[in-house]
Amino acid sequence: MAHNFKSDVVVDWCPGCGDFGILTSITQALTEMNLGGEDVVAVSGIGCSGKTPHYLNIAGVHTLHGRAIPFATGVKLANPNLKVILPSGDGDLLSIGAGHFVAEGRRNTGLTIVLFDNAVYGLTKGQAAPTMALGEKTKSLARENIFGKVNPIALALSSGYSFVARGFSFDMKQLKGLIKMALNHKGSAVIDVLQPCPTYNDVNTMDWYRERVYRLEDEPSWDPVVTKDNADSAAMKFQQAYQKALEWGEKIPTGLFYQNKTIPSFTERLSQFVPNYLTNPPATQVVFNKDHYTVVDPEKTFSDKIID
């Protein structure tokens, strides 16, 4: 019997919020991958998106603002066999958490980051988030936005993420497929998900996006995947992905921008230095006996480092 990934917690997002489409896409992806509740962990930061782990029937953590990535990295390194998904917002990941976002691209740990991108801080009444364009004026702002805009796709590519994609919360079929691909990818993945915030953002609405988004996979020549058989073309595929990342306005591409399967994940690199790391990771090791006393003997563990 397939695991039910929807929890019993009442979902209290605003009516019409794009978060609903993302949550449904996540649960459908996990169900179709035939995963169990013990196979996946969700980690979020703060914001409307931060509530997502509460709505999933799996282990989950609602962490501090901007700190979802370092927390999730610890989970993944403790047990690399887990699939770790981060449903977090543009404000959480690209403002206070921006340093962690860049560092994770370099590590390539194996996290699946689902970036809820509505251009506002919805939980705190609609202030401009890092993905809002300079000069944009929404109904929640007293004046035009005076900050420049972060491009999540370009930043992810520049930071070294080996899987970079964009979805649209009202195209759940495509988004579900991207989430499944990302969860099966060995390295770290970013999916920038465009979504309306009907309460605070009256510029980037559902209709605004519907008039502009198009699927990259509908272009017959689009091939964003780097494998061992075509590694020589990695630079070309990266450049074409970056060019598509800059496309914004009358046409906005969605789909897989870039995937490089030749870059070893951080956990694979660690296994070269830690014997049996992948088969006997720290989270599954026995550290106490039936009486709950520790079975770890520091003197024995560090015997070769003791100076008489």
Side-chain angles (χ1 to χ4, degrees):
M1 182 177 179
H3 182 76
N4 177 17
F5 287 98
K6 292 183 179 178
S7 76
D8 296 329
V9 177
V10 176
V11 180
D12 64 355
W13 288 321
C14 302
C17 177
D19 289 5
F20 288 98
I22 303 174
L23 177 63
T24 300
S25 299
I26 292 174
T27 56
Q28 289 183 351
L30 297 176
T31 301
E32 292 185 11
M33 292 176 72
N34 198 29
L35 296 171
E38 71 283 1
D39 298 324
V40 193
V41 175
V43 182
S44 72
I46 299 299
C48 296
S49 59
K51 301 177 181 179
T52 307
H54 300 277
Y55 305 144
L56 294 170
N57 183 23
I58 57 177
V61 190
H62 192 166
T63 68
L64 300 174
H65 197 16
R67 311 304 177 210
I69 287 178
F71 200 102
T73 300
V75 173
K76 184 68 176 178
L77 295 183
N79 188 351
N81 299 314
L82 289 172
K83 294 188 181 299
V84 183
I85 187 168
L86 280 86
S88 274
D90 44 3
D92 189 81
L93 290 168
L94 302 179
S95 183
I96 189 172
H100 299 304
F101 184 86
V102 172
E104 180 51 34
R106 296 173 55 223
R107 281 193 296 262
N108 201 36
T109 307
L111 309 180
T112 296
I113 298 173
V114 181
L115 197 161
F116 290 47
D117 184 354
N118 59 11
V120 296
Y121 288 85
L123 195 67
T124 52
K125 312 305 181 188
Q127 299 90 340
T131 53
M132 181 176 285
L134 175 66
E136 198 156 283
K137 170 71 173 65
T138 63
K139 62 181 179 182
S140 61
L141 297 180
R143 58 183 68 88
E144 294 178 349
N145 178 31
I146 62 173
F147 296 102
K149 175 183 178 180
V150 171
N151 184 324
I153 300 294
L155 180 60
L157 288 168
S158 302
S159 301
Y161 283 90
S162 51
F163 183 107
V164 182
R166 177 189 284 143
F168 174 44
S169 62
F170 284 89
D171 186 352
M172 289 183 285
K173 182 178 180 181
Q174 183 198 46
L175 181 55
K176 176 188 66 178
L178 291 172
I179 293 171
K180 291 168 66 175
M181 292 172 62
L183 286 168
N184 282 324
H185 181 67
K186 289 186 177 179
S188 285
V190 172
I191 305 174
D192 175 33
V193 187
L194 306 176
Q195 59 160 125
C197 174
T199 303
Y200 296 113
N201 188 340
D202 58 342
V203 176
N204 308 117
T205 63
M206 178 183 67
D207 290 339
W208 188 91
Y209 281 122
R210 284 194 185 282
E211 293 171 0
R212 290 165 173 78
V213 295
Y214 75 94
R215 292 180 171 187
L216 287 169
E217 56 264 36
D218 290 340
E219 295 188 353
S221 61
W222 185 250
D223 178 12
V225 182
V226 179
T227 65
K228 291 182 180 177
D229 295 333
N230 64 7
D232 292 342
S233 64
M236 182 273 290
K237 291 177 185 291
F238 182 88
Q239 290 172 4
Q240 72 172 9
Y242 205 91
Q243 289 176 347
K244 285 295 183 182
L246 301 180
E247 189 175 329
W248 186 272
E250 295 304 314
K251 294 181 65 180
I252 301 174
T254 62
L256 180 61
F257 281 65
Y258 180 74
Q259 183 180 16
N260 193 328
K261 298 182 178 181
T262 69
I263 303 174
S265 68
F266 190 32
T267 55
E268 290 174 324
R269 281 175 256 162
L270 276 179
S271 68
Q272 298 176 14
F273 304 100
V274 183
N276 304 319
Y277 169 62
L278 295 177
T279 56
N280 188 27
T284 63
Q285 294 178 16
V286 177
V287 295
F288 57 85
N289 60 27
K290 63 181 181 180
D291 297 320
H292 301 288
Y293 287 100
T294 179
V295 297
V296 178
D297 183 348
E299 186 171 348
K300 181 179 179 182
T301 301
F302 299 105
S303 59
D304 61 330
K305 295 180 174 58
I306 295 176
I307 301 174
D308 294 328

